[in-house]
Structures are given as structure tokens and as C-alpha cells.
Amino acid sequence: MADEINRGTSVDSTESRWVFQDDDDDSDLENFDADLRFGRQAAVVDSDEEEDNAEQRLIRTGPRVDSFDVEALEVPGAHRSDYEDISVGKKIVLAIQTLGVVFGDVGTSPLYTFSVMFRKAPINGNEDILGALSLVLYTLILIPLLKYVLVVLWANDDGEGGTFALYSLICRHAKVSLLPNQLPSDARISSFRLKVPSPELERSLKIKERLENSLTLKKILLILVLTGTSMVIANGVVTPAMSVLSSVGGLKVGVDAIEKDEVVMISVTCLIILFSVQKYGTSKVGLAVGPALFLWFCSLASIGIYNLVKYDNSVLRAFNPIHIYYFFKRNSTKAWYSLGGCLLSATGSEAMFADLCHFSVRSVQLSFVFLVLPCLLLGYLGQAAYLMENHADAGQVFFSSVPSGAFWPVFFIANVAALIASRAMTTATFSCIKQSTALGCFPRLKIIHTSRKFMGQIYIPVINWFLLGLSLVLVCTISSIDEIGNAYGIAELGVMMMTTILVTLVMLLIWQLHIIIVLSFVVVFLGLELTFFSSVLWSVTDGSWIILVFAIIMFLIMYIWNYGSNLKYETEVKRKLSTDLMRELGCNLGTIRAPGIGLLYNELVKGIPAIFGHFLTTLPAIHSMIIFVSIKYVPVPMVPQSERFLFRRVCPKSYHIFRCIARYGYKDVRKENHQTFEQLLIESLEKFIRREAQERSLESDGDDDSDSEDEYPRSRVLIGPNGSVYSLGVPLLADYKDTSNPVLEASTSEVISSVFPDPSVCDAEQSLESELSFIHKAKECGVVYLLGHGDIRARKDSWFIKKLVINYFYAFLRKNCRRGITTLSVPHSNLMQVSMTYMV
């Protein structure tokens, strides 16, 4: 299946695309005919369905050449992965870190899996041991190996894994994001790559169309993503509690006099130490604990082989799945209860995917197949062999099966491995929260990047201490391994099921696999996970309901934040200032223009924000140059520096008003200080103005040689970074006479002619130098950051629930979250803030 998933090459914005077209759409047909005139390849495929008596067909549009592709020639470092082309030595280091970060959770499952299973289904004979072992073996093979390692890991978003990476991947291929701030230019970022269509293209496009046109389906998709993310965060709470408590519980085997309360206090101490070293980052801690976890896996394998040789190697018969049938036939309901314990053998599977941003796919796959899985299988086989002759030790089977001479070294290694397992899920939690924050589904928090080389390695202090506090509460209030194990199963299965559904959508929409393959995947794995989920839900009343309540709270926080952010953005879009009003005010905007540059921060990506009018009426003067700056995260991991800024000229040239959208991927690191940011922004603005003048000059030259009454519009000409001239074969924007949209759009690497042409076009060089000189003088006078804080309040006639959500919950989250501007170290003397409240 992996070969089918990866077949087909990636295409960028220069390659052709497939779209649906209605036969009765005259304008589209004209464009299609025009494409044929320009020599573009086209293919027509009949559609099986008719909608509103209009036949649809698939057409292939021609290659779209845009200046992003030209500008990308200047960026040799615009790579797609942090782990490509690395040396052998670094690969070895990565392999060691992979053990220490990714596999700790699944690697420590032998500490408690059989103990929990046999508490729910006590051993009545050796056949029960074989049945339970067979269940564990095939759970390991089906979920971690077949589902995650061979399938799900390929659904990464340019090296990013986790629930929100899947959502970002889907948003990239279909407009399903509920936040209406998408721009066509976002799809032209060089890392915004799509797949070549497969034979199932028509089905994929119908799914895409259905998703884009249905608000209900968009909300359902968002709810699934938020549910999975909340379960990941819940896993970050329960994993440390389960791993540490089970490993420290081994003292009951080595020290007879130890009490339960003492085990709890030692566990609390270990948890505090664990979360305290989290700030040192994945690289440092991963290198430190990687060798320790390697020793742990070697210990598992060695103890397993020792027990197989000493006790009973007939447990190898458990590879025959018929023993699962016998197990359920002998124990019926109790065997069904024990499924919750069996699932614990696969816990940590989601961490392999969520922690993918820290490492490469191949390193995770090879480490699991050739080291982790064989050691786990040997460990479980050895425990089963020991139990064949020692039924009474089922409660602490792992530590009881350790040879007496090796008990204390193994106990020490087991506790270190348990701490590592806790880190694996905590690291995955950090990654998911960062992704959800970037996509507008979680309040902004302080994020610390712990590695200068690998951008995905992060630390979130607030979440770290929050998870510590809740883990301590869980250990102190529910000290039973059975109850915590059941809570563990609920959290793990919740995110597993969401991942299965999202990967199924990826298979249909993006990979475009055969329907038989997709149905096989969803029926086998979703059916298996629902069976496990029914088992753990039956025991939810024993105390594990706490983790469900916590997951629901996290879900509500994310949903309320997303709902409030959408309302706020939609309100700002509705109340933005019109360009007609700006023209009426004149180039002085009805006030005094003082020398300097004003950077007005706002979340609006189109139009003039309403809060700018508030500045005009509140301040006695406004800066001679205004740049509306919007920080926007687009659903790609990283945006090349040359494509960072998208510029638009707002109003005529004499107004000196621009809009700048600074685009970041969710893996991009914003560590620049305000001087660096200002320098990059001004340099990009100068590039934009120079290229605007170059195109206007070329356009003017073309007017002298061409007849204005040509049947076809003039070809658009572009000046590349190396001075080459490119003909794009599309009309110039200057030919478009509609004045209802007096906006100029281009990025630092994109050229679009001005809707407001300079009357003195014959003196273009002087006009260009004059404007650049104006920018330099304004920069010398200083840059001031104008922060417009727009708050929302529910109207008095709103429903009570809406008032509660907006006026209290969302307001509380917004008041206590991190402001976007705090990522830049701007002195207070350069800040000016104005607040505005919208009634929604």
C-alpha cells in the first residue's frame, strides 16, 4: 500500500491542474478556448452525473507560470524537509534520538499490559495465557505496524505528523477551513505542492466539491480534528501517570515492606523531575536518554529469550490466531473486558505519528521494524512463558519474570524508560498545540524552540506545568493501575479513531487510492478500534471518567477560541472601510501626515480595517506612510523567505498606503527582532515598487508597437531575478477597466501592474526614485507599531449561550493569551495601541 500511496510525483504551480466545468458556462468555455489558442494542453472527460440539467466535464488547465516560481530560483535553501541530505553520522544521532523521543511510550507497555489484562480476566488455565498473548501479538502487528508505520506515517504534511497536520493537508487540497482568510496566492507558495491526479480523479473532485460547499461537513471535520487533539492532550496527562506508577510499582516485588502510599510519593517525585528537565529540549534529552532506551529494549529481548528457554517455549503457538477464538470462548464477557488492557500494548502508536516533526519517516519506520517490534514481541513471549508455570504472579508479571540477579539493574532501566515514555507523549502534545495555534484553533502561548537546527523541536512552558499538575492529581487520586489503564485506553482510542477517519479522507481526496483499498483500511482499523472502545467505555464509571471530562474541557477551549476568532474576523470584514471613502478624504486622509512609517497590525487580509478609521479620528496626525500588516499562518510547514511578504497598494500612489501580509508556515520560527523584521519588510516593499515600475515601463513600450484594438489581449511580461524577460501569455491587469477594485496585488516576487497608473509614465525613472527616496526618508524618521485590538461582545438580543461563550469564556481566553506582536521585541516607545469593540 505504501508504494501506491507514494506513486505519482509532486507538482508545483507550473504544472497543469484538473477542474470541473459546466457546459453552459460561456465565460469558462471562452477561457478554455483561449487556453487552446495559447497552445495549452486540454483533456475532456465526461461526467456521469448531471446537476441542474447542466453537463459537467473535467478539463485540464494549462501550466500556470507565476513569479513565485521565478523568485524561487534565488532560494537554493528552500528545502522541504529538515532531514534531507544529512550525513551518516547525523543519521546515527537521529536514530538514537528517535529511540529516546518516539518509542518510549510503546516500549514501556510490557510493564503493565498483562497485569491489567489478567486482573480483568483471571487466568484459569494455560490456554487463557496463550489467548491473551495472541491478542497482544496481533494488536501489535495490526495497529502500530500495519496502520501507523506502513500507512499513517505516509500521511505526513511535509514531515509534520499529528491530527492537525492531517487537517492542514486536507485544507491545502480543499477549502474546508472555517476562517475566511484564504488568498489565491497562498496556493502558489513553492512548498504548496499537490499530487498528480490518479484514475480516481473524478471521485476525488466530487468529494472536494461536496466538502467545500457544505458548511455542516466543514464543522464536522473541524470537530473531528479538535476531538483528536483534545485526546492527544489527555494522553499527555495520563501517559506519565501510568508509566511512572507502573515502573515504580516494581518495588513491591523487590522490597516486601514497601507500602502503596510510599510508591505514590516516589512516583510524584519522579514526575516532578521529569517535567522539570523538559525545558532542555528534544535534542539534548533525546541524546541523553536514547542509549538508556536502547538498553531497555535489549533488556526486554534478553529477558524474553531467557524465559522462553527456561520455562516454556510452546507459547510460540500464540502466533496462531485460533487461540484468540478459544480465549473468548472460554471467558466470554471477561475476555471482552480484557480488551482494554490488551490495547495498552499499542499505546504510543499515535506518538510515533505526532512526534514525526522531530524526525524523518524512514528513521521512525526502520527503528520500529528492526529494533522496537522484535524486542517487544520477545518481551511479551517471555512473560507468557513465565506465566505458564507461575499463574499467581500475573499482577506483577514483568518484574516477577526478571531473573533475581538482574532485578535491580532492570528496575533502574525500567524507571528511566518510563520517564522517557512520559516525555514521548508530552513532546507530541507540544507539537499538536503548536499546529492548532498556527491554524487558529488554540489560544496563543509562549513557544520556545529548543533546537537551532531542527525547527520542530519545541517546548511550551504553560502546557508543561499544566500537564504536570494534572498528572500529579491523577496519581494521587487514582492510584490503581487498572483505573488509570482504562483512562489511558479511552484517550488513546479517541485519537486513534480520529486519525483513522482523517487518513481515510486523505486516501479519497489526496492519494486517490482504489475504493477497495480505502474500504479495507477503514473497515479493518475503525472496526477494530470501535471494538476496543466499547470495552473501555463499559468501565468508565470506575474513575477513568476524569480523563473524559478533561478531554471535553480541552475540546471546548479549542472550539470556543475558533468560534470567537471566526466571529471577530467576519465582523471586521463586514465593517472594513471602502476605497470610495478613502478617495473622498484625499491623500492627506483628512488629517496631518507626519513623517515616518506606521505599521498597523490587524488580522484582516483584505481591505482597509475599520480600526484604521478609529486611528484617524483619535490621533491628531497620521504617518506619511501606512502599511497594514497582517501576520498570517498558511497551511504549509515553511514559507521561503523570498515568498514571505505579499504586498498590495491601497488607494492611489500619492496616498502611500500599502498592505503587507507576512505569511508563515506552522513550522516557521519567528525569532527576528523588530529591527530585522522592519528591514526585511522595507526591502521587500522596495522590490515590489521596482518591479511594478519595470512592468509599467515594459507595458508602455508595448503600447507603442501594438494596436490597441487587437482581438486578443497583450501578453503579460515579467522581469525575473536574473534579468530575464518572461512572457506569461495572460492579460495585464491594466487592461481591466473595472474601477470597483482599486487594489494592486503582488508579493515580493510577484508583479502586477497598477490600477492607478502614474500620469507621468514618460518619466518613470524619476517617479521611481522619488518614491524610493520617500520610503527612505520615512524610515529614517522612525517606525511606529500601531496595534489595533478589536474585541467582540454579544448583542443584548443574543441567546444566553452566545452571551456566555463570547462575553465571558472567549473574552477570558483572549485576555490571557499571548498577543501576536509579543513575538517581536518592540520597545514600548515604538508602540501605540487603540481598542475597538464590535457587537456581534
Side-chain angles (χ1 to χ4, degrees):
M1 185 180 292
D3 291 335
E4 291 194 46
I5 291 171
N6 288 297
R7 71 184 179 189
T9 55
S10 296
V11 300
D12 57 20
S13 55
T14 64
E15 297 192 21
S16 52
R17 298 167 296 142
W18 290 87
V19 295
F20 270 123
Q21 186 179 67
D22 294 333
D23 279 349
D24 59 346
D25 193 335
D26 295 335
S27 62
D28 287 346
L29 286 175
E30 290 175 3
N31 293 334
F32 180 60
D33 293 337
D35 287 342
L36 291 176
R37 290 194 203 99
F38 286 114
R40 295 181 176 181
Q41 178 186 10
V44 180
V45 181
D46 291 333
S47 175
D48 296 333
E49 295 185 5
E50 293 185 359
E51 185 173 349
D52 298 332
N53 298 323
E55 185 179 355
Q56 285 190 326
R57 57 184 180 175
L58 288 173
I59 69 165
R60 193 170 193 172
T61 64
R64 180 182 62 219
V65 181
D66 56 59
S67 54
F68 278 124
D69 304 311
V70 179
E71 188 76 10
L73 299 175
E74 292 184 321
V75 192
H79 53 273
R80 287 173 52 80
S81 175
D82 294 327
Y83 302 97
E84 295 177 353
D85 302 326
I86 59 177
S87 64
V88 176
K90 290 182 179 178
K91 286 182 180 178
I92 296 174
V93 172
L94 274 180
I96 295 175
Q97 291 182 355
T98 302
L99 287 177
V101 175
V102 177
F103 299 116
D105 197 357
V106 70
T108 54
S109 58
L111 288 172
Y112 42 75
T113 298
F114 276 146
S115 299
V116 175
M117 284 188 72
F118 290 126
R119 284 193 183 100
K120 295 184 177 182
I123 299 173
N124 295 319
N126 286 345
E127 185 61 40
D128 290 342
I129 299 173
L130 286 176
L133 175 61
S134 188
L135 264 176
V136 169
L137 295 180
Y138 280 99
T139 299
L140 275 174
I141 292 170
L142 286 173
I143 296 181
L145 178 62
L146 294 184
K147 179 187 172 182
Y148 280 91
V149 172
L150 298 184
V151 179
V152 174
L153 288 185
W154 292 113
N156 68 86
D157 187 19
D158 193 23
E160 283 283 311
T163 310
F164 262 98
L166 288 172
Y167 183 60
S168 171
L169 194 62
I170 294 170
C171 288
R172 187 124 48 94
H173 290 75
K175 297 178 181 177
V176 295
S177 176
L178 291 177
L179 195 63
N181 66 344
Q182 305 300 311
L183 293 175
S185 51
D186 294 338
R188 298 196 294 269
I189 299 175
S190 61
S191 56
F192 214 121
R193 297 173 184 262
L194 309 180
K195 294 287 184 181
V196 172
S198 71
E200 286 76 21
L201 170 67
E202 188 172 348
R203 184 191 67 212
S204 173
L205 288 178
K206 287 180 179 179
I207 294 173
K208 176 178 181 290
E209 184 180 7
R210 185 72 181 273
L211 282 173
E212 292 179 345
N213 295 332
S214 174
L215 180 62
T216 301
L217 290 179
K218 290 180 182 180
K219 289 183 177 179
I220 291 174
L221 182 61
L222 179 65
I223 288 173
L224 290 175
V225 172
L226 296 184
T227 301
T229 306
S230 64
M231 289 296 182
V232 170
I233 300 173
N235 256 327
V237 173
V238 73
T239 299
M242 183 70 180
S243 301
V244 173
L245 195 60
S246 59
S247 63
V248 175
L251 285 173
K252 295 179 181 178
V253 177
V255 182
D256 296 333
I258 196 166
E259 298 292 335
K260 181 178 179 179
D261 292 342
E262 295 172 338
V263 171
V264 170
M265 291 307 299
I266 296 173
S267 300
V268 167
T269 304
C270 291
L271 286 172
I272 293 174
I273 295 173
L274 165 70
F275 284 95
S276 297
V277 301
Q278 192 78 35
K279 62 182 179 181
Y280 295 109
T282 300
S283 297
K284 301 181 183 67
V285 180
L287 275 176
V289 301
L293 203 62
F294 179 76
L295 288 176
W296 165 250
F297 282 116
C298 291
S299 300
L300 274 181
S302 301
I303 295 170
I305 294 172
Y306 170 82
N307 287 328
L308 281 172
V309 173
K310 180 178 180 180
Y311 295 103
D312 192 350
N313 58 15
S314 66
V315 293
L316 293 173
R317 292 179 295 154
F319 282 103
N320 185 350
I322 192 65
H323 292 286
I324 298 176
Y325 168 75
Y326 294 150
F327 181 63
F328 277 91
K329 185 178 180 180
R330 288 165 57 92
N331 296 280
S332 61
T333 306
K334 291 182 179 180
W336 180 60
Y337 286 154
S338 70
L339 286 178
C342 177
L343 176 74
L344 297 179
S345 63
T347 54
S349 301
E350 187 65 30
M352 286 192 293
F353 184 46
D355 281 329
L356 192 59
C357 61
H358 300 264
F359 306 100
S360 65
V361 175
R362 287 298 182 191
S363 66
V364 175
Q365 289 177 323
L366 294 176
S367 298
F368 183 83
V369 172
F370 292 106
L371 176 63
V372 176
L373 183 61
C375 292
L376 287 174
L377 294 178
L378 286 171
Y380 285 115
L381 287 168
Q383 290 184 38
Y386 174 81
L387 284 175
M388 296 291 275
E389 298 182 10
N390 301 276
H391 294 182
D393 292 334
Q396 283 285 351
V397 57
F398 174 77
F399 288 106
S400 299
S401 65
V402 176
S404 57
F407 177 83
W408 289 110
V410 171
F411 173 81
F412 175 76
I413 296 174
N415 277 271
V416 174
L419 296 177
I420 298 168
S422 305
R423 290 198 73 261
M425 208 61 230
T426 305
T427 306
T429 304
F430 292 160
S431 299
C432 286
I433 288 178
K434 181 179 184 293
Q435 294 171 14
S436 60
T437 301
L439 296 177
C441 294
F442 202 92
R444 288 183 295 268
L445 301 171
K446 182 179 181 181
I447 297 176
I448 299 173
H449 295 265
T450 59
S451 173
R452 293 182 179 180
K453 183 169 181 59
F454 302 116
M455 299 304 182
Q457 300 182 3
I458 60 172
Y459 167 69
I460 306 178
V462 173
I463 298 298
N464 184 68
W465 302 119
F466 180 65
L467 295 178
L468 170 61
L470 290 174
S471 296
L472 294 180
V473 169
L474 201 61
V475 168
C476 295
T477 57
I478 308 177
S479 55
S480 169
I481 292 294
D482 293 346
E483 295 179 8
I484 296 180
N486 201 60
Y488 201 178
I490 291 174
E492 189 74 20
L493 279 168
V495 68
M496 281 183 178
M497 290 189 293
M498 297 306 107
T499 298
T500 301
I501 295 172
L502 292 174
V503 170
T504 302
L505 187 56
V506 169
M507 287 179 168
L508 292 170
L509 182 66
I510 304 170
W511 293 347
Q512 300 168 9
L513 299 180
H514 195 279
I515 191 65
I516 299 299
I517 297 176
V518 178
L519 287 177
S520 300
F521 176 82
V522 70
V523 168
V524 171
F525 292 109
L526 190 58
L528 184 65
E529 288 156 3
L530 285 173
T531 303
F532 280 119
F533 197 60
S534 65
S535 174
V536 295
L537 276 184
W538 191 259
S539 306
V540 73
T541 56
D542 62 4
S544 55
W545 57 269
I546 294 178
I547 208 67
L548 271 180
V549 172
F550 171 70
I552 291 172
I553 292 173
M554 296 308 302
F555 172 85
L556 290 176
I557 289 175
M558 290 186 288
Y559 191 83
I560 289 172
W561 180 261
N562 182 265
Y563 173 71
S565 299
N566 287 346
L567 273 182
K568 179 177 177 293
Y569 187 86
E570 290 170 359
T571 304
E572 290 181 340
V573 169
K574 292 177 182 177
R575 300 193 181 185
K576 61 185 180 183
L577 301 181
S578 67
T579 52
D580 292 336
L581 174 62
M582 301 298 290
R583 282 197 295 266
E584 291 176 6
L585 291 175
C587 61
N588 287 328
L589 303 177
T591 183
I592 301 172
R593 302 294 293 269
I597 298 177
L599 301 183
L600 196 155
Y601 274 76
N602 192 262
E603 296 177 6
L604 204 64
V605 296
K606 293 182 180 179
I608 303 172
I611 204 162
F612 180 60
H614 202 41
F615 273 104
L616 293 178
T617 56
T618 304
L619 302 178
I622 200 70
H623 299 82
S624 58
M625 176 173 286
I626 297 294
I627 302 177
F628 301 130
V629 181
S630 175
I631 303 294
K632 180 185 176 187
Y633 285 92
V634 292
V636 298
M638 299 184 74
V639 177
Q641 190 65 51
S642 62
E643 300 178 17
R644 174 78 66 211
F645 298 103
L646 179 72
F647 274 96
R648 292 175 179 173
R649 189 187 289 276
V650 182
C651 301
K653 203 176 201 179
S654 59
Y655 282 60
H656 301 294
I657 300 179
F658 300 88
R659 169 169 293 286
C660 171
I661 299 177
R663 298 177 294 182
Y664 292 85
Y666 54 77
K667 280 177 67 178
D668 276 320
V669 183
R670 294 182 55 203
K671 285 188 174 180
E672 68 266 22
N673 56 34
H674 71 100
Q675 292 99 338
T676 305
F677 181 83
E678 294 166 11
Q679 185 67 28
L680 289 173
L681 187 143
I682 297 300
E683 288 176 359
S684 301
L685 179 59
E686 290 177 358
K687 281 185 182 180
F688 163 72
I689 293 173
R690 288 182 187 277
R691 296 192 179 181
E692 174 193 10
Q694 285 178 333
E695 181 173 314
R696 189 181 294 117
S697 175
L698 289 171
E699 181 185 350
S700 177
D701 293 341
D703 287 340
D704 297 336
D705 302 327
S706 62
D707 189 356
S708 61
E709 300 299 326
D710 285 344
E711 180 182 359
Y712 302 113
R714 300 185 302 275
S715 294
R716 178 176 166 185
V717 180
L718 174 68
I719 299 295
N722 56 3
S724 302
V725 179
Y726 297 82
S727 176
L728 304 187
V730 295
L732 281 168
L733 188 60
D735 294 324
Y736 185 63
K737 302 301 182 182
D738 187 2
T739 58
S740 62
N741 240 348
V743 178
L744 172 68
E745 177 177 348
S747 76
T748 57
S749 56
E750 188 170 16
V751 183
I752 298 178
S753 62
S754 177
V755 175
F756 302 99
D758 193 341
S760 58
V761 69
C762 59
D763 200 8
E765 279 193 29
Q766 184 177 356
S767 175
L768 172 63
E769 294 303 323
S770 174
E771 186 165 14
L772 293 178
S773 175
F774 184 87
I775 293 175
H776 292 155
K777 290 180 181 178
K779 176 71 167 61
E780 291 172 0
C781 292
V783 178
V784 175
Y785 290 76
L786 309 173
L787 306 186
H789 297 308
D791 295 322
I792 58 174
R793 300 278 296 177
R795 293 193 300 265
K796 291 183 178 180
D797 57 347
S798 301
W799 291 89
F800 171 75
I801 297 296
K802 184 177 181 180
K803 289 181 180 178
L804 185 66
V805 169
I806 297 298
N807 296 349
Y808 295 96
F809 295 152
Y810 178 72
F812 174 80
L813 293 175
R814 189 169 176 82
K815 182 179 179 181
N816 291 278
C817 77
R818 187 175 174 87
R819 299 285 184 182
I821 191 64
T822 55
T823 54
L824 298 176
S825 55
V826 181
H828 289 288
S829 58
N830 289 20
L831 286 176
M832 187 178 297
Q833 302 188 42
V834 172
S835 297
M836 190 172 184
T837 302
Y838 303 105
M839 302 304 294
V840 297

